[in-house]
Amino acid sequence: MFQRLFGRERQANRAITDALYTRIVAAARQEPFYSAWDVPDTPLGRFEMLSLHMFLFQHRLRGETGASAEIAQLLIDEFFLDVDHSLRELGISDVGVPKRMKKLAKMFYGRTESYKDALERDDHAALAAALMRNVRPDAKEWPQASELADYVFAANRALAELPSQDICAGKLTYPVPQAA
């Protein structure tokens, strides 16, 4: 009771969610995505990689209860606050931010549904197609989509092996992308 009264529990939770979100962002910004795999190093390309890594995190914790569910919700809230902040840093007006946020949220949830479906069906081709459609909609061909799909499957397996209590303690690792 006293911890809640003085906010120690809240500060501890904030430290954990900050640590987890920092690791998700770091994973999304790994250099091989943008150099070897030709993900556009643009605000939209970075949004795609952050969305992908946030999806992987949320996918890992789906169906869990208690602290895991709370952390999953806190991190998705943090993700959208970060996107909102980024839009404002890009010079989007206060009037334009809600409209863009609605569009980006719709994009995020649409992508997560296609990624989830492909992962659950263990369908590499469908995942590569979804990644190409979302990450490189401008490209007629993007051979690196297959490599990115390999990474997503590997990251999904790696996250599945992490115990929930470790994640709830702020421990999270993604694999390093291995460019061919």
Side-chain angles (χ1 to χ4, degrees), residues 123-162:
D123 189 338
H124 186 277
L127 182 58
L131 290 165
M132 180 171 170
R133 188 172 55 248
N134 297 322
V135 177
R136 291 300 310 265
D138 59 327
K140 294 198 187 306
E141 292 183 25
W142 185 42
Q144 297 89 342
S146 181
E147 292 177 75
L148 184 54
D150 290 340
Y151 169 83
V152 171
F153 276 105
N156 188 56
R157 286 188 302 275
L159 291 174
E161 293 175 4
L162 287 176

Side-chain angles (χ1 to χ4, degrees), residues 10-160:
R10 185 174 294 175
Q11 288 174 342
N13 288 343
R14 185 66 200 184
I16 290 167
T17 57
D18 285 350
L20 290 169
Y21 193 70
T22 297
R23 286 179 177 87
I24 292 168
V25 170
R29 291 185 177 165
Q30 292 179 85
E31 184 270 331
F33 294 131
Y34 305 97
S35 60
W37 292 348
D38 205 22
V39 171
D41 193 6
T42 62
L44 193 54
R46 291 187 294 273
F47 170 79
E48 292 296 344
M49 289 295 95
L50 183 55
S51 294
L52 178 61
H53 286 83
M54 181 56 68
F55 157 72
L56 286 163
F57 179 82
Q58 295 291 319
H59 187 69
R60 165 58 184 85
L61 293 182
R62 81 186 185 296
E64 293 199 12
T65 58
S68 294
E70 289 175 32
I71 285 174
Q73 184 60 55
L74 288 169
L75 281 176
I76 201 71
D77 293 346
E78 182 68 26
F79 168 69
F80 282 112
L81 283 172
D82 188 29
V83 171
D84 179 280
H85 180 73
S86 295
L87 289 174
R88 293 173 193 282
E89 281 187 343
L90 289 170
I92 307 299
S93 70
D94 287 343
V95 175
V97 169
K99 183 177 166 183
R100 299 267 176 110
M101 285 299 297
K102 184 177 181 179
K103 181 179 179 181
L104 290 170
K106 185 176 179 181
M107 288 170 58
F108 174 77
Y109 287 112
R111 282 152 173 68
T112 61
E113 195 57 38
S114 63
Y115 299 158
K116 178 177 86 71
D117 181 57
L119 277 176
E120 289 177 355
R121 290 185 297 117
D122 198 31
D123 189 338
H124 186 277
L127 182 58
L131 290 165
M132 180 171 170
R133 188 172 55 248
N134 297 322
V135 177
R136 291 300 310 265
D138 59 327
K140 294 198 187 306
E141 292 183 25
W142 185 42
Q144 297 89 342
S146 181
E147 292 177 75
L148 184 54
D150 290 340
Y151 169 83
V152 171
F153 276 105
N156 188 56
R157 286 188 302 275
L159 291 174

